[in-house]
Each structure stands twice: as C-alpha cells, then as structure tokens.
Amino acid sequence: MPEPSHVLCAQPLLTRPEPLSRPDADLSRDAILAFIEEERAAGREPGRRDIAKAFQLDAGGKIWLKRLLRELELEENGGSGPVKPHAALPAVLLCEVKSRDREGDLVAAPLEWNEADQGEAPKILIERQREFRRKPKTVAPAATPGIGDHVLLKLTRLRGVDGYQWSGRTLKVMGRAKAQVLGIFRALPDGSGRLVPVDKKAQGREALIPKSQTGNAEDGDLVSVSFARESRFGPPQARVRERLGSLKSERAVSLIAIHAHGIPNEFQPATIAEAEAAKPATLAGREDWRTLPLITIDPADAKDHDDAVHAAPDDDPDNPGGHIVTVAIADVASYVRPGSALDREALERGNSVYFPDRVVPMLPERISNDLCSLRGGEDRPALAVRLILKADGAKKSHSFHRIMMRSAAKLSYQQAQAAIDGKPDDLTGPIRDSILMPLWAAYGSAARARDARQPLDLDLPERKLVLDADGKVTRVIVPERLAAHRLIEEFMILANVAAAETLEKAKSPLIYRCHDEPSLEKMRALGEVLASIGIKLPKDAALRPVLFNRILAMIKGSENELLMNEVVLRTQAQAEYVAENYGHFGLNLRRYAHFTSPIRRYADLVVHRALISALKLGDDGLPKSATLAELREVATRISAAERRAMAAERETTDRLIAHFLADQIGSSFDGRIAGLNRAGLFVKLDDTGADGFIPASTLGADYYRHDERAHALVGDRTGESWRLGDRVHVKLVEAAPVAGALRFELLTEGRPATSDRSGKRSRPALPMGRKQGRSPPKRSGRKR
C-alpha cells in the first residue's frame, strides 16, 4: 500500500456542548446589547461570530451567546411578541424583485421563504445604482434589475426606515423575469385552443387561445403563453409565445418542471466542445494506486460512479483492532478548470437533477459518465483520503492523496449485501473475503463511533417509481434499506469531515455544508403535536439530535410512528451551503463539507480545488484570488439551485403518480392525514405515497374550524374532528395529471367529541368571541 502523505491528526467528531452557564461574570446581556448598538451605529450589522470574536468566547460562551440572541429575537420589536423569523438574515441573499414602492424604488423579498413556517416575508429596499461624476475604479457595475428578476443582494440592516427593516445592494442579476405562464395546449375543432395550466394553484382557470395566436402548437404541446387583458365576461385569452415540447407520453412529464423552474437542460456549444476535447489524465504528478483493490458500490441503475472504497486491518501495534479505510473520489477538478466553459455552466446548474424519467446532469456525459466515472478495470484519476480508525471507530488520523486508481469491481448495493450475508455471486465470490469482509469489519467500528455521536436517526420510507419503456409508472415500490447503504454513507461522512478538518487546519477558504438547529417556532409546533398524542416535550432539555431520537424511540411501533418521523423531519431547518461554518445539527458534527460527489455537486468541486491548493497537489486548485465574499456568493447560488432541484423532482413525482392514478377514479384507498388547514385535509396514501386534498366543504353538514393547537378540524355543532395522523379511507374523485393534483372524498367517520388520542375529553371548538353556552351566530348565505 502506498505511503501516506499530508497526514493530519484527527479532531473529535462528537459535539459535546459545555454547560449553559454565563461564561464570565463581567459578560452580561447589557454588554452584548451595547456592542450591537455600537456596531449598528457604525453602519455594521454584527453576526454571532463577530460578537463571539469581540468578547473572545470559548465553546461554552458561544452556546450561551446563541441562546441569548434567540431570546433577543423574541423581544424584537418591543416586547413579548412572537419570534421574528427574519430578525437576522444572511449578509448575502438571493431575492426576487416583487414591486416598486410609492417613491419608485424596487422592493424585493427572499426567493426561498416559507410563510407557513417563517411568517410574513421581509421587505427589502433595493438601493439605487450610484452615478459617479468622477470616473470610478474599473469595476463592472451590476445590471439594473426589474420586477420579477432574481437578484443577489448584499444586505444592510435598517432601523425601520419607511417601514423597511433591510436594504440591499445588487451584486448580480441572476435571472431575468419571464412574462409567461406554462400550460398544455389542447386543440379545439375550429383551430383555436385552450390552455390547461400546469400549476396546482391555477387548476380550473383555463384560458382560450384564438386560432391566430396558437403559434402552430399541436395538441399535447407544453407551451408558454402571455395573457391579454382579461375581459369582464368569459375566460381570459392568451397567445402562445413558445412551444417547449410534446407531452403526449409520460416520458416528457419532467419537461414541465424543467421549464417551470428554469433548469438548464441543454449544454452550450462551448461547454460540449470543451468536454469533447478533454484528454484522459495521466500518471504525471500522481501516486500510482492502481494495485489497491478499490471497488464501487452504487444503485444497480447508476451510470456514473464517483466514489470507490477499500478497507484493511491496521497492522500498526499502536492501533490494535484498528482499520485503514480508503475513500477515492473522481478527480473532476483535473478536467473542469476554474473559469472555463465547463466550470461556468456547472456553477449555473449547481447540481445534477434526478427525475424518475431522466437525469439533467451538472456536467456533460463525456466528463460525468466517461472520463470521471470510476469504471471497473480502467485507469481513472482520483482524490483519495486514507482514514486510520481505532477499534472503537474514532478517527486517529487521515491523509489526502492525488492518485491514479483502477477499480477492481463494480457492485450494486444488493450484490454487496448478498455477499456479506454469505450469498455471493460469480462477481462477488472471489472478492468476498479479501475485499468485502474487511470493509464490513471497518464499518462495524465506524458504526460504533456513529452511535456514540448520536446523530438524528429518522426512519422514513423512500418510495421509488418503476417506469416502463414508455416512461409510464407501472408500480411504486419502497426499496429495502440495506446495511450496505449505511456502510457507504458512513465512509462518505468520514471523508467529508476529513476534508473540512484539513482545509480548516490549512486556513483555506471552503464551502461548508451546514445545518442549523430547529427554530423556536418549529419546536413549539412540535410540542403541540406531541401534546395531541399525550407526550410532553421537555421545555429545558438541551436541543440536540438525541432529544428527537428519544421522542422517536417512545413512539416506535405505535400507530403514530410514521407521522412523528415526518413531523420531526419538518421540524428541522434546511441544510445549506455556506462559506462560514456553524456546524451540522443533524449529523451532530462541528464541521462538515461535501467532498464525495463532484460529478453531481458543484460544492464538492470547490472543496476538491481547495484541497489541491492547500496541499499543493497541482496547479488546478482554487485560485489564489478566491475571496470569502466570492465563496459566499457561490454558496448562495448552489443552495438555491439545490432547492430548485428538490422542488422540480417532487413536482414531477406528483405528476407521474397522478398519471398512474388517473384511470382509477372512483377507487378507494387507505391513507392518513399528513396535514391540514382551514381549507381542508391533506391525505397521503399508504401504497403509493401520493398526496391529495379533501376540501373542508365536503366533510359533512357541519361547519369545521381549524384548531391549530390540536392540529385538527373540529365541527362547530357536532364536535366531530379529524386530526393530524388519523387513519382514513378515501375515494379518488378527481386527478389532474398535468398539475400533479389529486382530490379525494372522505369515507371515514371523524372522531366523536368525547375522545382524543391522549384520552382527554374534548369539546367542539368555539368561534372567536363566543362564550360557552350562547347560541352560535347566524351565518347568512354560508353552507353548513
């Protein structure tokens, strides 16, 4: 085995918070407030890290400060009001220009903002571009944005000036607004057409397209249209602006999400030319590890293979029972140079997008499926990390190497698991004892360290759509979760942590993968859900992943197990890419970065380049001119691209399942209530995981009110109720495949007024301003 280079001693993975006492008798709430006011008076908005640095806080002090700042958020705007979710926004934020105010200034709001969880979105005043009388420095000014544009803003906190809490200076216009609506063109006999909208919220609001405005669209085409002025009578009229493709088969369903979310799905000619001209990497400047029997373990249908693994017992007498684990990752940085056409387009895409019927890759196939794919028996360049693990799984040290490797085998998860379980096939038989079992032994040690670390442990089934040759769903399955999956995941986590540690040690800029702890709002909501099933959430418990694991252990095996796993998941903050570390709550890690998938994630490519530069492994690393501000911008862009991809993937799955169920109108299904509001119930079906809606107006003759604390719809007159997590039997009454929308009719009786899941007696909810014992107010014209 090759000799290690760039060895770095391990740092502890396990987060062990200090007691939450005040760290210094001289450090008080007033001192913190005074410092914040001084900074704001100087035109600066101090963050948590700025305050911690100013007061030289240790680990315990930083945790105390974090709690104090949360308390101050509660008091924002003068007292005991609710938490202001936007009391602190990041210094650089991707926003959408919403409107102009009375002074003609542009007003923006965060592009990714969930009002249900975060409250009303903050208004951000966009600063006007300055006009210089003298010739300014040669810096290209940012383009002037318009309404509907996506812009990257550098934020400054305001003190309630003209009703604004924030102003923003335009750093970059990320995308121009498209004055269009997407829909499916349906041809009419007279040559005109109608538009079936693809947006769930627009269902039932079709538009007419005159014969002269069809743009030669054919029946079933996905089109973008612009609307004429709506008349007082009849449906609105539209004009076809562009034909985007035919949707006559399910295989094209993903086109809707691709165009609706503006996902680039065709590479620029310069990008393709650059990829085709790329030559295979050579051994020059690399360690030759081609004799090390690394193997790839991936899904059976994987086309690109960007990670390979190997393990062996450590023969060091100072590390009895230890293991040497090697994780080798495709060296994408050797082909995708900073500033190249490949690099620019990879940043624009941010990540690969995986639809059930297609993949929209971050890099052209010449790179992703050929030169960088770690194919069996072929020489491939890689960036590898060698991990020295102790018998208990704790990392003793690690080292990074730039290598040439040759994969000894390409296995699926099912093949690897079968061989480990004693059922090898022709491919795994010869390598079971020499390669697979040492990997299994090393994983056993790593798993012990993971269990000691106590990361968040959710158990949610992941459904997969099985498509036929025409792209039509034939069935929905839940693939078995194998130990082989966990083996690869754990080794990838160890490699990711090693990358972050190495770059921090080298004082190199990098992009972290961070995950904040849940907000106070979400913890309150979780407490209410738990109370509805008779479980009390400890108010003073330290907010750590183990708290959620204990909750899930309490309800394991009960009827609420799946529900509570989903509720705990919704309680969590969304992970993001940032240039300044604040840890990973879910994994319970102090530092974490993405290193293991540079073929499909731009963040990993940045980390590879940073390692190459920091360890002097080549001249194709992170440019010396790279600044923290530039990495902040990149992190913001790729975080937004990730959320865009997740939304597009989810919507496409909804549309394909709606297609699958469209011919089952009138059929009944079992499911449970996965959400509710005053408009009705959201039901998730057991077999397919399909989501559908039951309007409150169809529940019965009663008038149903939303009891937010009990997470229930409760009848005014009868007290009959339906609660979050209740099992229900429903009938499918409508399917809109184009929008991915389903509507159900409830066949299950609600809970009577005298019982709930906690065993307490309940009574009908009372209208606002009405005391018990009085007659209900008259509702003229309202259906009951």
Side-chain angles (χ1 to χ4, degrees), residues 244-297:
L244 301 173
S246 175
L247 293 184
K248 289 187 175 180
S249 76
E250 284 85 349
R251 181 167 288 281
V253 165
S254 56
L255 280 176
I256 298 175
I258 287 171
H259 289 289
H261 289 277
I263 295 173
N265 69 322
E266 292 184 4
F267 287 104
Q268 297 295 321
T271 305
I272 295 294
E274 200 169 277
E276 292 301 324
K279 305 296 183 185
T282 65
L283 190 58
R286 299 177 183 277
E287 299 175 47
D288 189 351
W289 285 24
R290 287 177 292 183
T291 58
L292 182 69
L294 290 149
I295 64 170
T296 62
I297 305 177

Side-chain angles (χ1 to χ4, degrees), residues 267 303-307 329-333 335-336 346 350-354 359-365 367-374 380-381 595-605 608:
F267 287 104
K303 293 183 179 180
D304 55 62
H305 309 276
D306 53 9
D307 59 85
I329 306 298
D331 191 354
V332 178
Y335 296 104
V336 183
N351 49 254
S352 298
V353 187
Y354 293 86
V359 175
V360 179
M362 185 181 80
L363 296 167
E365 285 193 8
I367 303 295
S368 60
N369 290 5
D370 184 4
L371 293 176
C372 286
S373 186
L374 306 182
R380 289 291 182 269
F595 159 76
T596 55
S597 296
I599 287 177
R600 62 184 179 89
R601 293 189 303 228
Y602 193 82
D604 304 55
L605 177 56
H608 275 232

Side-chain angles (χ1 to χ4, degrees), residues 741-755:
L742 302 171
R743 185 164 65 85
F744 298 124
E745 177 184 313
L746 192 62
L747 303 178
T748 306
E749 295 291 329
R751 294 172 174 272
T754 55
S755 68

Side-chain angles (χ1 to χ4, degrees), residues 52-241:
K53 185 176 181 181
F55 287 92
Q56 297 181 341
L57 299 182
D58 59 12
K62 290 177 182 177
I63 296 173
W64 173 84
L65 174 64
K66 188 174 184 179
R67 295 294 172 86
L68 173 63
L69 293 179
R70 281 182 174 272
E71 292 175 9
L72 293 177
E73 284 185 18
L74 280 167
E75 299 168 8
E76 184 87 9
N77 210 21
S80 58
V83 170
K84 298 280 187 182
H86 48 86
L89 294 176
V92 178
L93 185 65
L94 190 62
C95 300
E96 180 178 357
V97 183
K98 293 291 190 180
S99 62
R100 290 186 184 272
D101 62 14
R102 280 184 280 183
E103 303 298 323
D105 290 315
L106 292 170
V107 180
L111 182 62
E112 298 293 335
W113 192 270
N114 187 336
E115 292 197 350
D117 294 334
Q118 299 173 271
E120 184 180 356
K123 293 193 300 180
I124 301 169
L125 177 66
I126 298 180
E127 299 172 7
R128 295 184 181 183
Q129 300 283 0
R130 294 182 180 179
E131 296 180 2
F132 295 91
R133 295 189 178 182
R134 292 179 298 173
K135 187 175 181 180
K137 294 180 180 179
T138 56
V139 176
T144 302
I147 294 175
D149 286 351
H150 295 173
V151 292
L152 198 65
L153 298 179
K154 182 175 179 59
L155 301 186
T156 301
R157 183 68 176 265
L158 301 176
R159 302 181 66 85
V161 178
D162 295 330
Y164 296 103
Q165 296 294 327
W166 299 89
S167 70
R169 176 168 61 85
T170 302
L171 298 177
K172 189 171 185 179
V173 177
M174 308 301 296
R176 292 293 182 181
K178 296 182 179 179
Q180 64 177 13
V181 173
L182 295 182
I184 306 302
F185 180 83
R186 293 302 181 194
L188 298 176
D190 63 358
S192 63
R194 61 184 177 90
L195 183 78
V196 181
V198 301
D199 189 347
K200 284 184 181 181
K201 297 178 181 178
Q203 285 305 292
R205 299 198 294 271
E206 297 184 356
L208 291 179
I209 302 174
K211 184 177 181 179
S212 61
Q213 304 295 327
T214 61
N216 297 320
E218 298 180 0
D219 187 68
D221 279 355
L222 176 66
V223 296
S224 68
V225 304
S226 58
F227 282 89
R229 291 178 178 268
E230 293 192 23
S231 64
R232 295 176 60 187
F233 306 100
Q237 293 195 353
R239 175 175 67 88
V240 173
R241 295 168 57 94

